[in-house]
Amino acid sequence: MPEAKPFRVEVVVRAPHVEVWRALTEPDQVRRWFGWDYAGLDEEIELMFVTAARREPPSRILMFEGEDQSAIEVEADGAHTIVRAVYPASPDEVEPDDAYDPIEEGWRAFLLQLRHYVERHPGERRRTIRLTSEAKPVAVLAAVAGEVEGTSRRASPHLSVTTTDSYGGGLVVVDSREPLDSADTGQVNVTITTHGLDDERFDRLRDRWESILSELAKDVEVTV
């Protein structure tokens, strides 16, 4: 795992521990929330969640054992389950820091996608659209707000998540190297999770979002 600053991020999932544990340990389920669709996703999941992981049920999965202290912690809390991604594992070593770290923000986004999958789409397969560009994050956020009807919130100064009934009950995650309120140009990623769209609707959605981002930035890279 690449170098990362110490972090500790968590979500509360409204589902029993056993369901969340399966979503974290069965590769076919991991693929329904982790990252985004690309050619090497299955190999990445096999490495991170099987080959290089050590499971300590029911409460912890050590990631890249022997290389660092990163882990996923899973804690039952009545009918809910708390999931944490930690690096290092000790909370005493984590200090508040708003500086952008791609690994921390990545796990923050992935855990939100995990929650979305387990709570709203258990057992369903997803399709994703990933758009990467150099843009002004405040402009991208405004475009998302104008295009997507749903509930949005800031998960961090660098990450926003919108839950919507559109796109088959989808999720739109915006993460930015610059703070989201910034008008400075920097790398901005938009990850759209969809469910149940046929090829025609999915292709129209991809084209629509590529058009939106192309008006705000140059050289938009689209991964589906």
Side-chain angles (χ1 to χ4, degrees):
M1 189 174 190
E3 288 294 325
K5 71 175 186 179
F7 63 78
R8 185 178 183 87
V9 299
E10 73 175 42
V11 296
V12 177
V13 183
R14 293 173 296 181
H17 178 282
V18 63
E19 295 180 13
V20 177
W21 184 260
R22 288 185 58 203
L24 287 163
T25 56
E26 297 180 7
D28 184 58
Q29 288 212 47
V30 174
R31 202 189 196 288
R32 303 179 191 194
W33 61 266
F34 180 73
W36 54 89
D37 298 332
Y38 79 101
L41 179 60
D42 290 333
E43 289 76 11
E44 183 178 3
I45 290 171
E46 181 70 19
L47 173 64
M48 290 185 61
F49 290 87
V50 180
T51 306
R54 189 179 82 199
R55 300 171 187 173
E56 296 182 346
S59 61
R60 188 164 68 159
I61 304 168
L62 294 176
M63 312 294 288
F64 293 93
E65 184 184 6
E67 296 184 18
D68 58 38
Q69 298 174 300
S70 60
I72 298 175
E73 299 175 348
V74 189
E75 177 185 341
D77 183 23
H80 298 168
T81 305
I82 302 170
V83 183
R84 303 182 188 91
V86 294
Y87 177 88
S90 171
D92 297 333
E93 300 180 51
V94 179
E95 297 180 359
D97 185 355
D98 287 342
Y100 178 81
D101 180 83
I103 297 176
E104 178 182 14
E105 296 303 331
W107 276 111
R108 185 170 280 117
F110 300 157
L111 293 189
L112 290 169
Q113 291 172 188
L114 166 70
R115 183 174 68 187
H116 182 75
Y117 164 66
V118 173
E119 290 185 356
R120 299 191 63 180
H121 299 279
E124 296 181 28
R125 295 190 178 276
R126 68 173 185 185
R127 295 178 75 179
T128 67
I129 302 167
R130 170 83 167 182
L131 304 106
T132 301
S133 66
E134 294 289 321
K136 298 177 181 180
V138 67
V140 174
L141 274 189
V144 170
E147 182 72 13
V148 182
E149 292 186 4
T151 302
S152 299
R153 73 175 186 88
R154 299 286 178 90
S156 82
H158 300 270
L159 190 141
S160 170
V161 58
T162 301
T163 304
T164 178
D165 290 333
S166 302
Y167 315 154
L171 196 70
V172 180
V173 176
V174 178
D175 68 273
S176 169
R177 186 170 295 276
E178 299 293 330
L180 291 171
D181 293 326
S182 175
D184 294 332
T185 299
Q187 181 173 319
V188 182
N189 306 304
V190 179
T191 305
I192 303 167
T193 298
T194 75
H195 296 274
L197 303 188
D198 59 29
D199 289 345
E200 182 179 354
R201 291 173 64 198
F202 184 83
D203 290 345
R204 285 203 309 266
L205 184 65
R206 177 200 61 210
D207 293 344
R208 171 63 179 163
W209 276 99
E210 185 173 6
S211 175
I212 291 171
L213 266 293
S214 294
E215 292 181 1
L216 304 175
K218 295 181 179 179
D219 301 323
V220 177
E221 179 181 342
V222 182
T223 305
V224 293

